[in-house]
Amino acid sequence: MKKQVNVVIGAGAIGIAIARRMSAGKTILIADLKPDNAERAAKTLREAGFQVETTTVDISSKSSIQDLVKRACELGEVHGLIHAAGVSPSQATPEVILKVDLYGTAVILEEFGQVIAQGGSGVVISSQSGHRLPALSAEKNKILATTPSDELLAQDFLSTKVVTDTLNAYQISKRGNALRVMAEAVKWKDRGARINTISPGIVITLLALDELNGPRGESYRNMLARSPAGRAATADEIANVAELLMTDAGAFITGSDFLIDGGVTASYWFGELDYLQPTSNT
């Protein structure tokens, strides 16, 4: 019997918390742009009794993602995909955000969708930001969901001449992630596998700390203070939901997006944060 493999893309706190829940008796393959990040996470997991391999991946590169898929398949059958890599509005330009968060996720879903094992499952970590983008047209939704990855960034409304703000690029990318997962779930069912999206609010990770201390930090702190929960989340709280989605307990759930933000989005549209609502649709 082939070894079962869980692939974790992004060696941050959320991906590793999910891997701990899902990987007893399996091989974990951690892939990150920075080898030191992957090795640091692997050391912690190995000391907890897990079997772990590491590799590097640049999710803005299709060939790099294909190399990751090849490496995973060399280790065994891919039963789990945990995609938790990306860049935030404070870390990159609109062009890079679209290439990494939107295009990269599309490629990952396409490529792993061709090898995911029968009974396998995956989660894509998206963001609450996708829920704060005004409604897109049905045509744009379909483009984001179904356009082949190689053609995705050539769409007019995704041009960096149109998308000039980093937060807008991030919101479009995260909305696109949820839509793409819906479309890919239809394809993954042919392999007897499931895929879902989780859209967290602010979770205390290195990425979140960059945001809280970045140019939008005051806005984010205000967002937390005025939300129903009144705080940020922990990575383990996100892993609680991922565990449901990736096990048999969630066998009837696929193509869905789960918003876990402590009520920030609710407050944004209907509560104390409603003054932040945009004035026009995209």
Side-chain angles (χ1 to χ4, degrees):
M1 181 178 178
K2 274 194 170 184
K3 191 75 173 178
Q4 293 186 1
V5 178
N6 282 345
V7 179
V8 183
I9 304 175
I14 294 175
I16 299 308
I18 298 170
R20 292 179 74 100
R21 304 289 183 92
M22 299 304 306
S23 303
K26 300 178 181 178
T27 298
I28 304 171
L29 175 60
I30 303 175
D32 197 278
L33 181 63
K34 298 179 179 179
D36 288 350
N37 290 347
E39 288 299 334
R40 192 179 304 113
K43 180 177 183 294
T44 300
L45 288 171
R46 289 181 187 127
E47 290 173 351
F50 294 95
Q51 182 176 340
V52 188
E53 302 289 335
T54 66
T55 190
T56 57
V57 67
D58 176 359
I59 65 172
S60 71
S61 165
K62 185 171 187 175
S63 62
S64 182
I65 293 169
Q66 290 173 329
D67 288 344
L68 171 60
V69 173
K70 181 179 179 182
R71 173 69 174 134
C73 291
E74 289 171 350
L75 293 172
E77 291 185 338
V78 179
H79 276 255
L81 172 66
I82 303 161
H83 172 31
V87 292
S88 75
S90 296
Q91 293 179 315
T93 64
E95 181 178 14
V96 171
I97 291 169
L98 290 170
K99 189 71 180 291
V100 172
D101 292 350
L102 181 64
Y103 167 79
T105 298
V107 175
I108 287 166
L109 290 168
E110 287 176 354
E111 296 296 324
F112 277 96
Q114 297 176 44
V115 302
I116 191 75
Q118 176 80 22
S121 59
V123 290
V124 172
I125 303 303
S126 186
S127 170
Q128 64 178 354
S129 284
H131 289 262
R132 294 204 297 277
L133 185 72
L136 300 175
S137 67
E139 179 184 9
K140 288 179 179 177
N141 282 344
K142 188 171 183 179
I143 287 171
L144 288 171
T146 64
T147 301
S149 60
D150 290 343
E151 303 170 19
L152 188 55
L153 296 183
Q155 305 303 307
D156 289 342
F157 77 100
L158 297 175
S159 164
T160 51
K161 293 181 180 179
V162 177
V163 184
T164 59
D165 176 73
T166 59
L167 181 58
N168 186 229
Y170 189 72
Q171 289 177 334
I172 291 172
S173 297
K174 296 308 179 178
R175 176 70 61 80
N177 292 167
L179 291 167
R180 177 71 53 161
V181 161
M182 290 180 69
E184 286 293 326
V186 179
K187 300 177 183 178
W188 281 43
K189 62 95 175 173
D190 292 335
R191 299 186 63 86
R194 300 180 295 106
I195 181 74
N196 291 287
T197 316
I198 296 175
S199 292
I202 295 178
V203 182
I204 298 303
T205 65
L206 292 177
L207 186 72
L209 291 174
D210 278 347
E211 289 298 306
L212 289 168
N213 293 298
R216 294 186 174 89
E218 184 177 354
S219 173
Y220 288 132
R221 290 189 292 273
N222 179 61
M223 179 190 301
L224 292 176
R226 291 172 176 266
S227 69
R231 63 173 177 86
T234 67
D236 283 331
E237 289 176 302
I238 310 306
N240 288 339
V241 177
E243 183 176 17
L244 165 67
L245 298 178
M246 294 185 70
T247 61
D248 288 344
F252 198 58
I253 307 171
T254 192
S256 296
D257 177 51
F258 287 77
L259 178 63
I260 312 172
D261 69 349
V264 165
T265 300
S267 191
Y268 177 82
W269 288 110
F270 306 112
E272 293 184 36
L273 295 172
D274 65 358
Y275 68 93
L276 293 175
Q277 288 188 37
T279 56
S280 62
N281 289 352
T282 299

